[in-house]
Amino acid sequence: MAKQEDQFKKVLSHAKEYGYVFQSSEIYDGLSAVYDYAQNGVELKKNIRDYWWKSMVQLHENIVGIDAAILMHPTTWKASGHVDAFNDPLIDNKDSKKRYRADVLIEDYCLKIEGKIEKEVKKAAKRFGDAFNKEEFLATNGRVKGYQEKIAAILARMGKSLENEDLADVKALIEELEIADPLTGSKNWTDVKQFNLMFGTKLGASAESAMDLYLRPETAQGIFVNFLNVQKTGRMKIPFGIAQTGKAFRNEIVARQFIFRMREFEQMEMQFFVKPGTQKEWYSTWKETRLQWHLSLGLGAENYRFHDHDKLAHYADAAADIEFKFPFGFKELEGIHSRTDFDLKAHEEHSGKKLQYFDHEENKSYVPYVVETSIGLDRMFLAVFSNSLQEEELENGTTRTVLKLPSVLAPVKAAILPLVKKDGLPEVARKIVADLKWDFNVAYDEKDAVGRRYRRQDANGTPFCITVDHDTLEDNMVTIRHRDTMIQQRVGISELKGIIDKEVNAKFWLQKK
Ligand code: ATP
């Protein structure tokens, strides 16, 4: 646990030190759970977005993109269910005045019991040595079974109470379990109340005519309300998809863990419209396709897992998360949901407009079913960044900090370094920069000894360093150093473009098996 926390702290400080992520309005002490992307962060974020867009839109003939506005007609959110049901159950501690999500307090309590189970397992593993069978132990040990039953009973009761809107029972459960404020230990709780996560705002100048609006809490609804416009003008035939990337806003209460849970964040969503009855197949197809996209980046297959939902949202007939091993454990990175015809039907009802597709093969109209893939761009950023940050022991006994970003995503693809700041070397290096910058984001760096410059570029995630030395003036050759292997090669200046392109081109990554 301590190791995980240490690693996470390193991620935070590295993100700041190397110009990836800053706290928003830091000079005013920041705004909680709101972050700014800095000079390198904005490039990494853009590259992730492009990588997603290329694989989802450019490579699929039947998927097109849109960019809908953040502000939408308020009835949208009534129809989607967000006005009535996009709530978190909150509880305040009267002594500390701190606010918590009631379900998270209860889940954290269950996690502690799980910790006890793990302790029992460790103890038993020590006692039985090689003969230890974990599965059997978990299924038969009386104490462990007692803990498991306790967890199941607590979660079942909480689930039922939340479903029935019985918030008094959620509070009763917190009191019965004697859950205390994690910060102060106080058990002096208020009642549990539902809190809507949407940010409200107003449209219009005068108080009387102002209209209540919401900042969109997801990008999906912008796609649903445009479904027929896109289908007709793009002459799209089912099955087809509409993709969108853009900001979403949620007034999250448990906003912590850096850019994992933010109040303003960016989503990359795709709604795939299919013939009713075929949604199960498309759901499996998209689960697999999305997992392959993640695996193409090479962050390690062991860092991903599916979590299939037992309890489904009101609009879904199947749902799964792709979870990633963040520095604080496996957590949701992307959701794949079979959303049925819930959204389009709801918009038909609320708008009075038909949102149907005429199927020429079947010679009839119907409301399509929808399979959605929805990933948080900021969470993807955190997954890539935290996984790539590594400390390596080198052969000479020193360590280096290296940000092994997949080179297709790296903000700067190559740094051009004149060995010394004289003898005409900077001029040659500048010429290489001037040539390569049309194709790649490259940097020029002449400060400090070349070894230090290599370290700096390693920590920055730059896949290539290109060094210009005195021989270059004679033979037009430079030394190219690879970030991950630290291997150095002597190559012709004219070969540089081809070498870099082969490594950073999305085609190479997306076709990798
Ligand atoms: P969680 O359970 O973590 O709150 P969710 O199930 O509410 O997430 P969805 O509504 O399915 O999330 O949103 C789709 C994706 O958007 C998530 O998989 C996640 O990557 C991203 N996302 C959701 N909320 C946030 C947030 N507050 N900050 C950053 N990314 C978010």
Side-chain angles (χ1 to χ4, degrees):
M1 201 64 183
K3 212 172 143 222
Q4 278 189 354
E5 272 169 27
D6 273 0
Q7 168 65 6
F8 193 39
K9 275 194 194 137
K10 279 187 192 146
V11 168
L12 296 187
S13 59
H14 199 86
K16 178 164 182 202
E17 193 182 336
Y18 284 87
Y20 276 85
V21 184
F22 299 149
Q23 173 106 61
S24 154
S25 20
E26 197 188 64
I27 58 166
Y28 295 106
D29 297 332
L31 186 63
S32 122
V34 186
Y35 292 90
D36 295 341
Y37 288 89
Q39 65 278 15
N40 278 319
V42 71
E43 296 287 341
L44 173 57
K45 200 175 164 198
K46 177 174 130 322
N47 292 343
I48 296 174
R49 195 190 293 111
D50 288 350
Y51 194 67
W52 182 86
W53 192 268
K54 195 161 258 174
S55 85
M56 297 298 275
V57 182
Q58 193 172 325
L59 295 181
H60 283 100
E61 243 173 71
N62 60 348
I63 300 181
V64 292
I66 62 165
D67 183 13
I70 287 172
L71 298 175
M72 298 181 70
H73 192 285
T75 311
T76 310
W77 306 111
K78 188 80 195 145
S80 67
H82 283 83
V83 171
D84 297 319
F86 197 51
N87 298 321
D88 275 346
L90 294 190
I91 190 162
D92 289 342
N93 187 281
K94 290 186 198 162
D95 297 326
S96 71
K97 308 274 185 274
K98 289 272 173 216
R99 178 165 278 189
Y100 297 95
R101 255 173 71 175
D103 54 334
V104 171
L105 283 179
I106 295 169
E107 278 164 7
D108 283 352
Y109 179 88
C110 292
L111 275 181
K112 280 196 192 133
I113 308 180
E114 262 177 33
K116 288 185 186 167
I117 297 178
E118 266 167 36
K119 263 197 193 144
E120 293 291 334
V121 169
K122 267 200 193 134
K123 263 200 315 204
K126 232 187 193 166
R127 196 161 5 112
F128 293 112
D130 286 346
F132 182 61
N133 179 331
K134 189 175 167 189
E135 248 85 272
E136 195 183 315
F137 177 77
L138 287 175
T140 52
N141 180 278
R143 198 174 295 164
V144 167
K145 273 172 68 184
Y147 287 143
Q148 285 167 339
E149 279 160 18
K150 190 168 177 192
I151 293 174
I154 293 170
L155 293 181
R157 178 166 158 199
M158 179 180 85
K160 205 164 146 214
S161 306
L162 286 175
E163 211 166 298
N164 298 336
E165 289 280 314
D166 185 356
L167 299 181
D169 190 58
V170 178
K171 181 182 181 189
L173 184 58
I174 288 175
E175 284 177 339
E176 278 167 42
L177 298 173
E178 299 190 8
I179 295 176
D181 181 331
L183 283 180
T184 62
S186 157
K187 294 175 192 156
N188 193 6
W189 296 109
T190 62
D191 288 342
V192 179
K193 284 201 193 84
Q194 289 290 18
F195 175 83
N196 194 289
L197 294 182
M198 284 195 293
F199 279 104
T201 185
K202 293 216 182 278
L203 176 86
S206 75
E208 304 88 70
S209 64
M211 190 180 192
D212 285 314
L213 293 187
Y214 298 102
L215 302 185
R216 67 180 177 196
E218 62 175 27
T219 55
Q221 299 304 324
I223 294 178
F224 292 126
V225 299
N226 279 302
F227 154 73
L228 211 53
N229 280 340
V230 173
Q231 189 272 318
K232 290 227 159 98
T233 55
R235 289 179 292 129
M236 308 300 291
K237 284 208 175 63
I238 267 178
F240 73 92
I242 305 179
Q244 169 165 230
T245 69
K247 286 275 172 109
F249 301 81
R250 295 182 188 179
N251 201 355
E252 301 274 6
I253 295 310
V254 190
R256 49 178 190 211
Q257 292 163 329
F258 194 37
I259 54 172
F260 179 81
R261 190 175 297 286
M262 301 155 91
R263 298 205 161 102
E264 175 180 341
F265 59 101
E266 191 164 335
Q267 290 186 313
M268 306 191 287
E269 296 199 302
M270 192 278 299
Q271 311 293 326
F272 201 69
F273 299 90
V274 305
K275 195 154 115 183
T278 63
Q279 71 272 21
K280 282 267 172 320
E281 283 157 54
W282 282 112
Y283 171 69
S284 314
T285 304
W286 279 111
K287 261 177 82 174
E288 191 47 35
T289 308
R290 292 303 305 145
L291 181 64
Q292 289 308 321
W293 180 84
H294 286 283
L295 295 179
S296 74
L297 287 169
L299 304 184
E302 70 286 1
N303 292 319
Y304 299 89
R305 68 180 189 199
F306 279 118
H307 165 72
D308 293 308
H309 290 207
D310 302 324
K311 235 186 95 202
L312 294 171
H314 57 285
Y315 53 75
D317 71 359
D321 299 334
I322 295 177
E323 293 186 338
F324 183 77
K325 197 166 176 209
F326 287 97
F328 35 82
F330 272 101
K331 291 266 177 300
E332 172 177 345
L333 171 59
E334 168 156 8
I336 293 114
H337 310 123
S338 175
R339 291 182 80 123
T340 70
D341 55 0
F342 173 85
D343 301 88
L344 290 179
K345 274 218 167 118
H347 288 306
E348 276 197 329
E349 272 164 35
H350 283 79
S351 67
K353 309 261 163 48
K354 274 205 177 327
L355 291 176
Q356 302 199 352
Y357 171 79
F358 184 75
D359 191 325
H360 286 278
E361 277 168 27
E362 305 251 332
N363 203 25
K364 67 172 190 198
S365 295
Y366 53 76
V367 177
Y369 270 45
V370 173
V371 175
E372 159 184 87
T373 72
S374 173
I375 173 170
L377 175 48
D378 314 85
R379 276 192 199 177
M380 187 61 199
F381 185 113
L382 183 58
V384 171
F385 190 86
S386 59
N387 181 279
S388 303
L389 184 60
Q390 295 174 23
E391 299 252 319
E392 270 183 2
E393 293 271 343
L394 300 181
E395 275 172 14
N396 63 7
T398 59
T399 55
R400 70 161 181 162
T401 300
V402 51
L403 191 61
K404 290 189 168 173
L405 297 171
S407 45
V408 62
L409 303 181
V412 177
K413 305 302 188 199
I416 327 297
L417 325 171
L419 189 63
V420 289
K421 263 194 274 182
K422 54 182 186 185
D423 305 336
L425 303 190
E427 287 74 11
V428 177
R430 289 268 183 215
K431 247 182 95 194
I432 296 175
V433 169
D435 184 35
L436 290 179
K437 73 179 177 190
W438 292 96
D439 296 292
F440 314 107
N441 198 16
V442 292
Y444 174 82
D445 189 2
E446 61 174 20
K447 202 169 169 289
D448 301 320
V450 83
R452 281 187 74 174
R453 280 182 268 168
Y454 283 160
R455 291 286 173 278
R456 189 153 62 225
Q457 296 299 335
D458 285 347
N460 217 32
T462 309
F464 295 106
C465 283
I466 295 160
T467 307
V468 174
D469 56 25
H470 291 94
D471 289 344
T472 309
L473 304 175
E474 308 296 323
D475 60 8
N476 272 331
M477 308 270 279
V478 287
T479 303
I480 185 161
R481 173 186 178 272
H482 298 251
R483 178 195 65 198
D484 297 349
T485 56
M486 296 192 290
I487 288 175
Q488 303 190 9
Q489 284 168 288
R490 197 79 187 156
V491 301
I493 292 177
S494 58
E495 293 174 74
L496 286 172
K497 190 178 155 195
I499 295 173
I500 300 170
D501 186 63
K502 200 166 156 268
E503 279 276 325
V504 307
N505 198 320
K507 185 173 171 185
F508 164 78
W509 289 81
L510 285 166
Q511 285 182 336
K512 226 173 20 180
K513 283 272 173 277

